[in-house]
Amino acid sequence: MKKVTLILAAAFVMLFANNAQAQLGVNIGYAPQTTTVTTGNSSSSSDMNGFFAGVNYNHVLSGNIGLSFGGQVRYNTKTTTASILSATETTKKTQLLVDVPVLLNFAIPMGSEARIALFVGPVFSYALSGNTNVAENVLNTSTDFNWYGEKSNNSQFDLMGAAGAALEFKTFRLFGGYRMGFLDLDKSDNVKSTTSGIFVGLGYLL
């Protein structure tokens, strides 16, 4: 699945790059992630801070309707500390992902230099790595837990849906929205794990 996604990404980028109606943009932003785990009738959720950077091509299909295709790298992290007397345990979670959004968008002009665009579509996501590091100060130990190791039940591929809006002024683009994962990321029969979260970002149109 990872190779197929990368091949499709390369093909689309080459197609859009050679098209006069395709516009290139670079983006950075904040995208916190909430993971919800459901076991039977009970569920719990955990949050991570997320940051992303990437590029996208927006191809004009007709009039104010376009199709945006791109790729971005997303980094999630969370650090927690628990203390009992002089003993301290620090847990740091990190995750690195590659996202490939394919978003249909509709632009509403606001004068000659600005417009508002609404967008919706799927986001294909693949986790390159995930790790939990637990360190404590009494014995001065540090232990790592690989989320996607040989015996892991965690799935690295996710299919998400995203929707939002963007405000474009000249060459700058401010955007935000919400994404929701459709796939169960836990391979266990009695456990379901899904992700969701908002995102906000700033883009520059080349």
Side-chain angles (χ1 to χ4, degrees), residues 54-134:
V55 298
N56 74 285
Y57 284 96
N58 188 47
H59 173 65
V60 177
L61 298 177
S62 176
N64 294 325
I65 301 176
L67 181 65
S68 175
F69 178 90
Q72 65 183 28
V73 176
R74 182 160 48 97
Y75 178 72
N76 295 328
T77 183
K78 182 178 182 179
T79 301
T80 57
T81 301
S83 299
I84 300 178
L85 299 178
S86 61
T88 300
E89 182 179 270
T90 302
T91 301
K92 183 176 182 179
K93 298 179 180 180
T94 56
Q95 185 184 32
L96 183 65
L97 310 98
V98 173
D99 299 330
V100 179
V102 182
L103 304 173
L104 186 67
N105 53 84
F106 177 74
I108 305 172
M110 299 179 63
S112 59
E113 297 184 324
R115 67 177 189 169
I116 293 177
L118 307 177
F119 59 84
V120 64
V123 179
F124 304 92
S125 182
Y126 187 85
L128 300 176
S129 64
N131 185 74
T132 299
N133 175 266
V134 180

Side-chain angles (χ1 to χ4, degrees), residues 37-40 151-155 183-193:
V37 178
T38 303
T39 305
K151 298 181 180 179
S152 172
N153 288 323
N154 295 321
S155 175
L183 302 183
D184 180 4
L185 301 182
D186 195 305
K187 301 175 185 177
S188 304
D189 293 335
N190 60 337
V191 180
K192 181 179 181 180
S193 176

Side-chain angles (χ1 to χ4, degrees), residues 159-189:
L159 172 61
M160 299 180 289
L167 173 62
E168 297 179 3
F169 179 73
K170 295 185 178 180
T171 58
F172 292 96
R173 182 171 181 260
L174 179 64
F175 61 93
Y178 182 79
R179 69 188 189 281
M180 180 177 63
F182 296 135
L183 302 183
D184 180 4
L185 301 182
D186 195 305
K187 301 175 185 177
S188 304
D189 293 335

Side-chain angles (χ1 to χ4, degrees), residues 9-49:
F12 270 93
V13 168
M14 292 177 63
L15 174 63
F16 282 12
N18 293 325
N19 193 304
Q21 290 185 300
Q23 186 173 35
L24 172 66
V26 293
N27 311 296
I28 59 172
Y30 177 62
Q33 176 174 287
T34 298
T35 301
T36 302
V37 178
T38 303
T39 305
N41 295 324
S42 62
S43 63
S44 61
S45 61
S46 60
D47 299 321
M48 299 180 71
N49 288 314

